[in-house]
């Protein structure tokens, strides 16, 4: 089969690899129908995730059809159409029992990281019963690719951890796919204000279309002053960090109102300064989380019932075999006006 293979920082190629086989009775082999590229794949290609080794097939998102199934899998059969979760979880360990699938002692985020991933014609999915989701007949499968990672990430790490409430004020720093996923799912709770902050005008315009009540380009405007103006000088109840650099976490520290929550989503590679000299008296909470994907079934229902339009996050379409060009577009997201790209295995 063909797959997108990582060969050390800056190097990748679309090449021939052996088709995966069942290794454990809990595995499934899935033929990929659609997959996509994540910001995290770009982090890997920069060399930020050193556990990813030469020869690894990248990718942790996608939908497909079951080609082969392990003997002990009971919830799926050959021919079933499935959503692949970016988190593989055994469902049996202590963390899984607590719904912390991301910390599964036998899995977690391993796809396209510690084991071969989904940017390929076929992928082996461990713990299939707990790591795959059935696709209802007649669904728009491309829209459901957004359930592998970005929607549960924005919702669990941003909206749920940030305790967004009816009438509350929310600022989301970073209007990439993850920040936009938080924006879309925050609206389940009818907050009074959702303020999106990003230096990319195109992404801010998209945010406005997706329901942001205010947008701030923090290249041109002072985001702290503008948010204070918009909130009677208080700041926001929930500040969601969706970038992953020190400047944006520190911005959240300046935006959060007394009693508020900073909900971090971004993957951080550097330490961040914590301003306890001001925050100690402000009754604030800081949360962090690796996405667990425990809300995937609930989010699927909101897409099926058209309460959530996940398809609008897709901007570009490619053939799977054209993945090198797709990476090029995704790597130049600002210039190409790209959010999520869909790769079709035709
Ligand atoms: N916690 C988790 O489980 C989890 C899961 C998936 C992704 N992530 C992380 O979430 C983050 C966002 O992912 P993404 O795919 O949307 O990334 P992205 O790179 O596509 O988007 C980031 C956005 O931040 C904006 N930005 C850059 N500098 C900024 C600044 N100074 N102020 C405001 N905005 C700024 C960019 O213009 C861009 O729109 C990444 O760090 C990613 O690794 C975390
Ligand atoms: Zn991802
Ligand atoms: Zn487990």
């Amino acid at each position: 089969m063909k797959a997108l293979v990582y060969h050390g920082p800056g190097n990748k190629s679309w090449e021939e690899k052996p088709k995966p086989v069942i290794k454990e009775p809990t595995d499934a082999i899935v033929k990929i129908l659609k997959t996509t590229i994540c910001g995290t794949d770009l982090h890997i290609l920069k060399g930020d995730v050193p556990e990813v080794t030469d020869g690894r097939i990248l990718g942790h998102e996608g939908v497909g059809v079951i080609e082969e199934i392990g003997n002990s899998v009971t919830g799926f059969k050959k021919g079933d159409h499935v959503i692949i979760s970016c988190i593989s979880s055994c469902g049996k360990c202590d963390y899984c029992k607590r719904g912390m699938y991301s910390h599964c002692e036998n899995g977690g985020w391993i796809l396209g990281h510690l084991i071969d991933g989904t940017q390929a014609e076929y992928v082996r999915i461990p713990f299939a019963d707990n790591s795959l989701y059935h696709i209802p007949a007649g669904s728009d499968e491309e829209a459901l690719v957004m359930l592998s990672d970005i929607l549960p990430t924005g919702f669990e790490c941003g909206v749920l951890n940030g305790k967004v409430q009816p009438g509350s004020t929310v600022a989301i720093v970073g209007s990439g796919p993850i920040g936009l996923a938080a924006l879309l799912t925050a609206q389940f709770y009818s907050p009074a204000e959702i303020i999106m902050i990003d230096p990319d005008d195109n992404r801010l315009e998209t945010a406005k279309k997706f329901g942001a009540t205010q947008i701030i380009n923090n290249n041109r405007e002072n985001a702290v002053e503008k948010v204070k103006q918009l909130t009677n000088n208080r700041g926001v109840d929930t500040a969601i960090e969706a970038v992953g650099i020190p400047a944006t976490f520190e911005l959240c520290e300046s935006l959060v109102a007394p009693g508020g929550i900073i909900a971090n989503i971004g993957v951080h590679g550097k330490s961040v300064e914590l301003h306890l000299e001001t925050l100690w008296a402000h009754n604030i909470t800081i949360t962090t989380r690796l996405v667990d994907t425990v809300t995937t079934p609930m989010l699927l229902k909101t897409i099926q019932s058209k309460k959530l339009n996940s398809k609008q996050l897709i901007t570009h379409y490619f053939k799977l075999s054209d993945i090198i060009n797709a990476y090029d577009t995704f790597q130049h997201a600002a210039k190409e006006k790209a959010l999520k790209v869909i790769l079709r295995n035709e």
Side-chain angles (χ1 to χ4, degrees):
M1 68 161 188
K2 288 275 204 230
L4 193 276
V5 182
Y6 174 74
H7 289 299
N11 291 314
K12 60 181 182 310
S13 75
W14 177 246
E15 62 186 50
E16 198 62 33
K17 284 285 258 185
K19 193 176 154 186
V21 293
I22 300 275
K23 283 190 185 159
E24 302 289 338
T26 44
D27 287 349
I29 304 299
V30 177
K31 178 181 187 213
I32 293 291
L33 295 174
K34 331 264 175 191
T35 183
T36 182
I37 306 170
C38 180
T40 305
D41 299 320
L42 302 185
H43 276 298
I44 294 171
L45 278 163
K46 272 196 257 161
D48 289 349
V49 192
E51 315 89 86
V52 182
T53 50
D54 188 352
R56 176 69 59 235
I57 299 173
L58 297 183
H60 50 263
E61 297 162 273
V63 297
V65 56
I66 294 188
E67 172 94 355
E68 218 186 312
I69 197 89
N71 286 333
S72 68
V73 180
T74 56
F76 296 90
K77 59 181 190 314
K78 189 174 154 80
D80 284 351
H81 282 233
V82 292
I83 300 162
I84 299 167
S85 174
C86 66
I87 301 292
S88 309
S89 53
C90 74
K92 293 180 176 167
C93 72
D94 184 57
Y95 284 117
C96 281
K97 292 285 191 196
R98 289 196 269 151
M100 286 174 69
Y101 296 160
S102 62
H103 290 267
C104 172
E105 286 164 14
N106 305 301
W109 174 44
I110 55 175
L111 270 185
H113 178 208
L114 306 179
I115 66 169
D116 285 336
T118 57
Q119 290 167 7
E121 291 174 325
Y122 297 89
V123 63
R124 180 180 72 90
I125 302 296
F127 311 116
D129 270 327
N130 215 47
S131 311
L132 296 173
Y133 296 90
H134 285 284
I135 296 182
S139 303
D140 180 338
E141 298 195 346
E142 287 175 347
L144 301 187
V145 175
M146 306 301 119
L147 284 175
S148 290
D149 176 355
I150 66 165
L151 286 169
T153 297
F155 184 57
E156 293 174 12
C157 309
V159 176
L160 291 184
N161 274 13
K163 297 201 167 78
V164 175
Q165 288 175 23
S168 70
T169 52
V170 181
I172 302 175
V173 181
S175 188
I178 300 278
L180 291 168
L183 166 65
L184 290 173
T185 55
Q187 291 169 68
F188 294 152
Y189 296 96
S190 303
E193 296 283 351
I194 312 178
I195 305 163
M196 296 295 289
I197 303 170
D198 197 290
D200 179 340
D201 282 325
N202 171 58
R203 287 188 162 185
L204 289 174
E205 280 313 312
T206 304
K208 196 110 209 223
K209 283 190 214 126
F210 287 10
T213 56
Q214 300 283 345
I215 53 175
I216 301 175
N217 182 318
N218 58 332
N219 256 354
R220 284 198 302 269
E221 290 178 280
N222 182 321
V224 178
E225 274 174 21
K226 185 91 189 275
V227 167
K228 291 271 150 90
Q229 274 169 25
L230 293 167
T231 56
N232 288 326
N233 228 22
R234 285 196 192 110
V236 294
D237 301 312
T238 302
I240 296 175
E241 200 286 344
V243 187
I245 57 175
T248 46
F249 189 87
E250 286 174 39
L251 177 56
C252 289
E253 293 180 54
S254 306
L255 296 179
V256 69
I261 300 177
I262 299 174
N264 182 79
I265 311 178
V267 172
H268 290 265
K270 288 202 187 103
S271 66
V272 173
E273 208 167 323
L274 182 61
H275 290 285
L276 278 179
E277 73 281 11
T278 44
L279 294 176
W280 73 270
H282 285 182
N283 306 31
I284 66 141
T285 304
I286 297 175
T287 64
T288 72
R289 187 168 183 176
L290 179 57
V291 62
D292 291 298
T293 68
V294 280
T295 61
T296 304
M298 168 262 167
L299 291 167
L300 173 60
K301 287 181 201 161
T302 66
I303 293 174
Q304 293 301 104
S305 65
K306 303 200 164 28
K307 298 275 187 257
L308 179 61
N309 174 2
S310 62
K311 188 124 193 194
Q312 57 190 335
L313 288 157
I314 303 168
T315 54
H316 291 72
Y317 297 86
F318 294 88
K319 285 185 186 165
L320 181 57
S321 57
D322 203 17
I323 191 165
I324 299 287
N325 280 328
Y327 262 92
D328 201 52
T329 297
F330 190 65
Q331 262 158 339
H332 300 98
K335 187 177 109 220
E336 303 285 348
K337 303 192 172 182
L339 287 170
K340 290 299 269 187
V341 302
I342 285 284
L343 296 148
R344 295 169 167 151
N345 185 15
E346 283 165 350

